[in-house]
Amino acid sequence: MSDIEKPSTSHDSQDGHVEGLPPDPDAHLSEEEKEKVDRKLLWRLDWILIPWLCILYLLAFLDRTNIGNAKVAHLTDDLHLRLPDQYNETLTIFFISYSIFEPVTNVLLKKMRPSVFIPVIMILWGAAMLGTGFVYNYSGLMAARWFLGLAEAGLFPGVNYYLSCWYKRSEFGVRAAIFFSAAALSGSFGGLLAAAIELMDGIGNRPGWAWIFILEGLLTIVFAVASFWMVHDFPDQARFLSEADRVRVVRRLKLDQQSSAEHEEWKMSYLYAGLKDWKMWLGMIIYMGCDMPLYAFSLFLPSIIQELGWSTTTVRSQLLSVPPYAAAAVLTVVIGFVADRTRQRGLCNIVVSSVGIAGFLMLLASADPRIKYAGTFLGALGIYPCISNTISWMANNIEGVYKRGVVLGFVIGWGNLNGVVSSNIYFNGPRYLEGHGIIVAYMALFLFGGSLLMTILLRIENKNRLQGKRDYLIEGKTAKEIEALGDHRPDFIYTV
């Protein structure tokens, strides 16, 4: 048996042995009819949950990275920023506030309910973005970026945690990939939108870069208000589901060895369980290996393209940044689909990161604009799919509602804290050798190396579990106590 398969005595065939499993509302149906009902339910969840969340993340990533487009549109000149120091500091301060507040946001999401928490933080970051369009100096820009990071901190970890509470482990990856592909699309969309908005330069005595912030901030607030109705709560409280469908969702998760559908109360033991889990710390290393390059790429791509010498206008620089993002969005979804089907998330990270490393080596080694532009494509292809794949990998292998929330908060928070590094490595154009070199080091050591180590360790642990070497952990325990072990249960087989 492969070490990525579940034991043959799966819970799917032993409903009665699963603790707290509600009665099957489809018990009277044939297996074929049950599969049809399950497909219909999954299709409904996808159409109700995923599209709106993708739009929200597109707006979030657009709002945090559009300062790169604004820089090309003369933000630094109009605010008299000292380059590169003061501009880089405005990027850095976002990641500091973002990372400080991110680990606690999943607990707040669980306590406040998604239908309240997500719209509230959106209104706050939309207001911060709107205010950025009216700053007149360095201090004002720094304050706006601080509050933007604080308010945005809850969305990405929150939505990944939220989706992991709706879908089976074998279904989560492609949904997380579709959700995260909105970040790549925001790069494409952001370049096009910035090129169009910049033409408003001078209207209302505001420069073009200011209108980028103002209009995108207003757009976020409009979607935030709509989110009070469009964002739904967890499965046990979701109003768009019938009672029978709520039971079906809970059963799907329980039979997938998840307790995520149950309502738990917060305890400090969940925090301690996360902190004692080696997978969290190694996951933080892997995630920093793709998240720092992600932000460096997103924030500086317009500038990198401008330095190629092809761009005779600012608008053309914005437009040339579109194709790499579009390609990355497609590959992100493809990798999500492949990883879900094969359950080889570590191998996907290893292969994809190799492509990204090759791209940044091209940027390092060549001065030819054509080769460097091709390198930006490979760089984007090597970074974006690894973000969602790594988050899915961690969510697949951490069981327990609050423990998973804590672990995802720390992993994503640490990754985003490395955004401080990304803000300060591109300072020596036009080659940007230091910046590209540091990204290669991050991707090779942390992303590639960390993924390789995690894959090896998980395979060893799965082998031990399948050979019965962890069965002593459940000796003398009740069914409830065994379930409380979460991913430490001997029958919980890790996704490698």
Side-chain angles (χ1 to χ4, degrees):
M1 176 187 290
S2 166
D3 62 4
I4 63 167
E5 295 173 348
K6 293 182 182 178
S8 57
T9 56
S10 115
H11 289 295
D12 293 85
S13 59
Q14 299 184 21
D15 288 10
H17 289 77
V18 180
E19 179 71 18
L21 187 69
D24 186 359
D26 304 316
H28 61 288
L29 300 179
S30 67
E31 286 302 316
E32 185 177 336
E33 289 172 325
K34 285 182 179 181
E35 289 179 7
K36 185 176 180 181
V37 170
D38 191 63
R39 284 196 302 269
K40 184 177 179 181
L41 174 62
L42 189 59
W43 184 256
R44 188 169 182 227
L45 295 180
D46 286 343
W47 278 106
I48 291 177
L49 300 176
I50 303 297
W52 191 258
L53 295 175
C54 286
I55 292 171
L56 302 191
Y57 193 57
L58 185 150
L59 292 171
F61 210 81
L62 192 66
D63 288 346
R64 79 180 62 164
T65 59
N66 59 12
I67 191 170
N69 299 109
K71 176 176 181 272
V72 173
H74 312 298
L75 163 77
T76 53
D77 296 332
D78 291 349
L79 296 186
H80 308 293
L81 300 185
R82 186 177 66 251
L83 294 177
D85 298 349
Q86 289 188 326
Y87 174 72
N88 288 347
E89 286 162 9
T90 65
L91 305 181
T92 300
I93 198 170
F94 168 90
F95 294 107
I96 294 173
S97 61
Y98 191 105
S99 303
I100 288 173
F101 290 98
E102 197 165 40
V104 302
T105 55
N106 281 346
V107 176
L108 293 176
L109 174 71
K110 184 71 176 175
K111 284 184 173 291
M112 290 179 63
R113 305 196 339 259
S115 61
V116 175
F117 178 77
I118 290 176
V120 167
I121 64 172
M122 285 189 67
I123 290 173
L124 293 175
W125 96 58
M129 179 55 42
L130 177 64
T132 308
F134 295 94
V135 301
Y136 287 90
N137 54 35
Y138 166 73
S139 299
L141 185 59
M142 287 285 281
R145 294 288 294 178
W146 167 268
F147 286 108
L148 179 66
L150 188 155
E152 275 202 27
L155 188 74
F156 185 64
V159 170
N160 277 285
Y161 166 56
Y162 172 75
L163 289 177
S164 74
C165 294
W166 278 96
Y167 291 100
K168 292 160 66 174
R169 291 191 291 163
S170 60
E171 300 164 345
F172 174 61
V174 71
R175 273 87 186 171
I178 291 170
F179 167 66
F180 182 70
S181 67
L185 288 175
S186 79
S188 298
F189 181 64
L192 294 171
L193 192 60
I197 294 176
E198 203 180 318
L199 300 177
M200 296 178 64
D201 185 40
I203 295 177
N205 293 320
R206 302 304 301 155
W209 61 262
W211 282 110
I212 293 174
F213 295 128
I214 293 168
L215 294 184
E216 292 178 8
L218 287 172
L219 184 64
T220 296
I221 292 172
V222 169
F223 276 88
V225 173
S227 293
F228 282 108
W229 293 272
M230 297 299 292
V231 173
H232 302 280
D233 292 323
F234 292 104
D236 60 337
Q237 299 173 316
R239 295 180 181 178
F240 74 93
L241 292 176
S242 65
E243 185 61 36
D245 278 344
R246 275 197 289 270
V247 170
R248 290 184 182 105
V249 173
V250 171
R251 283 181 58 84
R252 296 177 89 250
L253 296 176
K254 296 287 279 184
L255 292 171
D256 191 46
Q257 300 175 306
Q258 295 190 51
S259 59
S260 302
E262 293 187 341
H263 187 77
E264 293 181 358
E265 294 299 325
W266 165 255
K267 299 175 185 175
M268 285 301 291
S269 59
Y270 297 125
L271 173 61
Y272 300 143
L275 292 174
K276 290 187 293 185
D277 196 327
W278 65 268
K279 299 190 300 297
M280 184 185 87
W281 300 102
L282 185 51
M284 290 165 65
I285 290 173
I286 296 170
Y287 194 67
M288 70 186 276
C290 51
D291 211 31
M292 190 285 282
L294 167 76
Y295 285 119
F297 187 85
S298 303
L299 292 168
F300 289 96
L301 182 61
S303 297
I304 293 170
I305 290 175
Q306 192 176 45
E307 296 286 358
L308 294 181
W310 286 353
S311 308
T312 53
T313 65
T314 300
V315 171
R316 191 176 180 197
S317 291
Q318 312 282 26
L319 296 178
L320 282 171
S321 69
V322 172
Y325 286 120
V330 173
L331 186 63
T332 297
V333 176
V334 170
I335 292 297
F337 182 83
V338 170
D340 270 359
R341 293 298 178 273
T342 63
R343 299 191 71 191
Q344 297 279 353
R345 299 200 185 280
L347 184 59
C348 287
N349 261 12
I350 290 166
V351 172
V352 172
S353 63
S354 300
V355 174
I357 291 168
F360 282 99
L361 286 174
M362 289 167 65
L363 287 166
L364 268 174
S366 178
D368 186 328
R370 292 168 296 182
I371 294 176
K372 292 178 75 172
Y373 190 55
T376 65
F377 273 86
L378 295 183
L381 293 174
I383 295 170
Y384 279 82
C386 290
I387 296 286
S388 56
N389 189 55
T390 300
I391 294 303
S392 300
W393 200 8
M394 294 305 301
N396 283 173
N397 290 331
I398 302 295
E399 182 44 43
V401 179
Y402 277 114
K403 182 186 175 186
R404 185 186 303 132
V406 167
V407 169
L408 289 180
F410 271 92
V411 168
I412 297 171
W414 175 248
N416 284 308
L417 186 59
N418 278 266
V420 172
V421 178
S422 72
S423 307
N424 294 282
I425 59 176
Y426 280 97
F427 54 82
N428 193 12
R431 295 290 302 277
Y432 295 115
L433 297 179
E434 298 88 351
H436 299 326
I438 292 171
I439 287 179
V440 168
Y442 259 70
M443 295 185 72
L445 293 174
F446 304 135
L447 178 56
F448 181 93
S451 296
L452 182 61
L453 179 59
M454 176 79 88
T455 300
I456 293 170
L457 294 177
L458 291 178
R459 285 182 181 276
I460 292 171
E461 180 59 25
N462 280 349
K463 184 178 180 181
N464 288 333
R465 293 185 179 195
L466 292 171
Q467 291 177 348
K469 295 181 180 179
R470 298 290 183 262
D471 290 351
Y472 69 90
L473 294 171
I474 60 173
E475 290 176 0
K477 287 184 168 58
T478 65
K480 191 70 177 176
E481 290 172 333
I482 292 172
E483 185 182 29
L485 291 174
D487 52 273
H488 292 298
R489 284 159 41 194
D491 65 341
F492 187 97
I493 304 302
Y494 290 120
T495 300
V496 298

